[in-house]
């Protein structure tokens, strides 16, 4: 029997089959959540915050703990959506607000414009550029460096 999971801050709901992971529901809603490692709990790109109902999810496993150690924004209510299986009702998930740097096709096009959304680091979840901030050449260099860092990290994860 499906469980209803609430998605904040977009105030939507998604039904997820009992014992299916949160990621399946988030992807069904076309939300800004990745699965770079294919749902193996190794890349942290599906990091979400559980604002209510943590007890209605499967327990955190060792792999998830190790992966979340690299996420600078992780806290007590953090989970990897690919590893958190829904076992009960009452789960409320805070979905990422913004876009990941590797979603940007041509970073150079951003110079001199204002960021339309928060630009986030896909591994650590760190805020790289705040929404409505003017994008400078210095920021572009940092964003490009981050893209390279992410590509190298993902290549290592895929080889593991």
């Amino acid at each position: 029997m499906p469980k209803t999971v609430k998605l904040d801050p977009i105030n939507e709901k998604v039904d997820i089959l009992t014992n299916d992971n949160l990621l399946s529901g988030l992807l069904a809603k076309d939300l800004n959540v990745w699965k770079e490692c294919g749902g193996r709990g190794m890349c942290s790109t599906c990091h979400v915050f559980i604002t209510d109902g943590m007890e209605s999810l499967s327990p955190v496993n060792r792999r998830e703990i190790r992966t979340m150690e690299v996420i600078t924004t992780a806290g007590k209510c953090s989970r990897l959506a690919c590893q958190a299986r829904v076992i009960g009702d009452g789960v409320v998930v805070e979905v990422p607000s913004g876009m990941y740097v590797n979603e940007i096709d041509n970073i150079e096009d951003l110079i001199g414009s204002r960021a339309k959304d928060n630009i986030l680091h896909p591994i650590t979840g760190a805020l790289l550029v705040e929404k409505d901030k003017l994008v400078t050449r210095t920021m572009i260099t940092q964003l490009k460096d981050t893209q390279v860092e992410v590509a190298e990290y993902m290549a290592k994860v895929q080889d593991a």
Side-chain angles (χ1 to χ4, degrees), residues 39-57:
R40 297 182 303 173
M42 298 173 67
C43 71
S44 74
T45 58
C46 67
H47 173 240
V48 294
F49 295 102
I50 308 302
T51 56
D52 199 14
M54 187 71 89
E55 67 283 352
S56 294
L57 298 173

Side-chain angles (χ1 to χ4, degrees), residues 61-126:
N61 60 44
R62 281 194 333 237
R63 174 174 280 168
E64 187 175 2
I65 291 168
R66 280 197 322 263
T67 300
M68 284 195 301
E69 288 173 349
V70 303
I71 305 172
T72 58
T73 58
K76 288 181 184 177
C77 61
S78 290
R79 288 300 304 263
L80 297 180
C82 70
Q83 299 299 298
R85 300 202 172 280
V86 180
I87 55 176
D89 286 314
V91 176
V92 179
V93 178
E94 183 180 323
V95 294
S97 176
M99 66 185 299
Y100 293 111
V101 67
N102 17 350
E103 292 178 86
I104 302 169
D105 292 327
N106 188 357
I107 289 180
E108 296 281 336
D109 290 345
L110 297 177
I111 295 174
S113 66
R114 297 205 177 269
K116 293 179 182 165
D117 281 311
N118 288 333
I119 300 176
L120 309 170
H121 192 295
I123 299 168
T124 65

Side-chain angles (χ1 to χ4, degrees), residues 97-153:
S97 176
M99 66 185 299
Y100 293 111
V101 67
N102 17 350
E103 292 178 86
I104 302 169
D105 292 327
N106 188 357
I107 289 180
E108 296 281 336
D109 290 345
L110 297 177
I111 295 174
S113 66
R114 297 205 177 269
K116 293 179 182 165
D117 281 311
N118 288 333
I119 300 176
L120 309 170
H121 192 295
I123 299 168
T124 65
L127 179 64
L128 301 173
V129 179
E130 193 175 340
K131 180 181 177 177
D132 296 325
K133 289 287 184 183
L134 186 64
V135 180
T136 64
R137 286 200 181 278
T138 303
M139 289 177 180
I140 295 297
T141 301
Q142 292 170 342
L143 293 174
K144 285 181 179 178
D145 290 347
T146 300
Q147 282 184 322
V148 170
E149 170 192 331
V150 169
E152 290 171 353
Y153 179 81

